[in-house]
C-alpha cells in the first residue's frame, strides 16, 4: 500500500486528506440526521395537545425549541400564534430555511470532495506520465515491461481519486434526499399545527374554564282555572 502511495507522488497526499475528511463528514451526518433526532415520533401530536390545553408557557416553548429541528419549527409557529395566518406561515418558512441550512451542514464540502477527487487523481496521473516520458527522452525506451509498470503506477492517482469521489458523491445524494424527505414531513406537521391553532380560541377556552352548570329549567306556571 505504501509503495502505491509513493508511486502516485505528491497528489496522493491531498487525496488521502480528502478521503479522511469525507469519511468524517459521512459519519457525522449519519449520526446527526437520524430520524428520531430530527423528527421525534409523536412530537407533533404532543404539541397540538399542548395548544389544545393552553400549555404554552415560555418554558414549554424553549424546551420544544431545543428538542429537535421539528421542535424548533413548531415552536416558531407557536410563537407567532397570535398573528394572522399569513404572518405565521412566513415565520415558519423563515425558520425552515435556517433549519434546512443546519441539516445540510457539511454537504457542500462533501460535494466538493466528490468533484475534486477525480480531478486531483487525473492531475497526479498526468504528472506521472509527464515524468515517465521525460525519463524516456533521457534514457530511451528500455524494457517494455518497465514502461508498462510506470504507466500503471501513474494511474494509481486516478484510481485513488475515483475511490475517494464515488462514496462522497453517493453519500451527498443520499443526505440531500434524506433532508428533502424530512422537510416534507416537517411542513406537514407545521400545517397540522396551524390548522389546530385556527380553532384555538374555542378549544383553549374550553380547556381553561370549567364547564358551566346547566341553567335551571324555568319554573312551570301554575295552571289557570
Amino acid at each position: 500500500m505504501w509503495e502505491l502511495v509513493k508511486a502516485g507522488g505528491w497528489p496522493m497526499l491531498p487525496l488521502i486528506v480528502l478521503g479522511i475528511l469525507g469519511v468524517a463528514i459521512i459519519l457525522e451526518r449519519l449520526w446527526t440526521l437520524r430520524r428520531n433526532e430530527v423528527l421525534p415520533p409523536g412530537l407533533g401530536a404532543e404539541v397540538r395537545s399542548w395548544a389544545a390545553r393552553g400549555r404554552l408557557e415560555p418554558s414549554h416553548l424553549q424546551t420544544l425549541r431545543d428538542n429537535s429541528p421539528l421542535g424548533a419549527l413548531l415552536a416558531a409557529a407557536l410563537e407567532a400564534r397570535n398573528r394572522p395566518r399569513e404572518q405565521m406561515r412566513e415565520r415558519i418558512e423563515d425558520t425552515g430555511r435556517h433549519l434546512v441550512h443546519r441539516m445540510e451542514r457539511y454537504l457542500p464540502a462533501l460535494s466538493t470532495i466528490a468533484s475534486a477527487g477525480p480531478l486531483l487523481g487525473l492531475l497526479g496521473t498526468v504528472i506521472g506520465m509527464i515524468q515517465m516520458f521525460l525519463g524516456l527522452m533521457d534514457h530511451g525506451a528500455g524494457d517494455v515491461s518497465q514502461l508498462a509498470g510506470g504507466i500503471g503506477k501513474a494511474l494509481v492517482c486516478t484510481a485513488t481519486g475515483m475511490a475517494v469521489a464515488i462514496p462522497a458523491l453517493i453519500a451527498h445524494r443520499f443526505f440531500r434526499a434524506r433532508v428533502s424527505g424530512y422537510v416534507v414531513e416537517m411542513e406537514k406537521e407545521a400545517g397540522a399545527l396551524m390548522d389546530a391553532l385556527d380553532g384555538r380560541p374555542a378549544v383553549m377556552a374550553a380547556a381553561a374554564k370549567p364547564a358551566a352548570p346547566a341553567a335551571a329549567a324555568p319554573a312551570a306556571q301554575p295552571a289557570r282555572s
Side-chain angles (χ1 to χ4, degrees):
M1 179 63 71
W2 179 244
E3 293 299 326
L4 292 177
V5 173
K6 290 194 297 182
W10 66 264
M12 290 291 289
L13 296 178
L15 283 173
I16 293 174
V17 172
L18 288 180
I20 295 173
L21 183 60
V23 170
I25 292 175
I26 291 172
L27 294 177
E28 190 275 339
R29 289 292 89 187
L30 282 174
W31 179 259
T32 302
L33 295 178
R34 289 171 296 160
R35 183 178 183 83
N36 289 344
E37 292 295 319
V38 179
L39 302 172
L43 181 61
E46 182 180 358
V47 172
R48 291 191 295 273
S49 175
W50 287 3
R53 297 196 304 268
R55 297 179 57 189
L56 300 176
E57 294 85 359
S59 59
H60 284 94
L61 296 182
Q62 185 60 42
T63 301
L64 182 62
R65 189 181 299 109
D66 297 337
N67 177 271
S68 61
L70 175 60
L73 189 68
L74 298 180
L78 292 176
E79 287 174 345
R81 62 188 179 275
N82 295 323
R83 301 180 183 179
R85 185 181 178 95
E86 192 60 33
Q87 294 184 13
M88 188 189 303
R89 184 184 300 276
E90 291 177 359
R91 179 66 178 274
I92 291 174
E93 291 176 352
D94 183 61
T95 303
R97 284 191 294 269
H98 288 83
L99 293 173
V100 170
H101 178 74
R102 192 171 77 184
M103 288 189 291
E104 290 184 346
R105 188 181 182 186
Y106 303 132
L107 294 190
L110 201 59
S111 177
T112 301
I113 292 172
S115 301
L119 295 177
L120 277 173
L122 182 60
L123 175 63
T125 297
V126 170
I127 291 174
M129 298 290 286
I130 291 173
Q131 293 175 345
M132 185 184 63
F133 282 113
L134 289 177
L136 291 178
M137 290 174 60
D138 293 337
H139 305 96
D143 190 2
V144 176
S145 61
Q146 186 176 2
L147 177 62
I151 295 175
K153 290 181 179 179
L155 292 174
V156 168
C157 281
T158 298
T160 304
M162 295 177 68
V164 169
I166 291 174
L169 178 61
I170 294 174
H172 178 263
R173 298 288 179 84
F174 170 76
F175 290 131
R176 287 294 299 271
R178 173 172 286 191
V179 170
S180 297
Y182 286 162
V183 168
V184 171
E185 296 190 46
M186 290 167 66
E187 290 176 349
K188 180 180 177 181
E189 291 290 347
L193 179 59
M194 290 176 64
D195 292 339
L197 290 174
D198 280 344
R200 178 180 66 255
V203 174
M204 291 180 62
K209 297 180 180 179
Q221 297 294 329
R224 296 181 179 180
S225 58

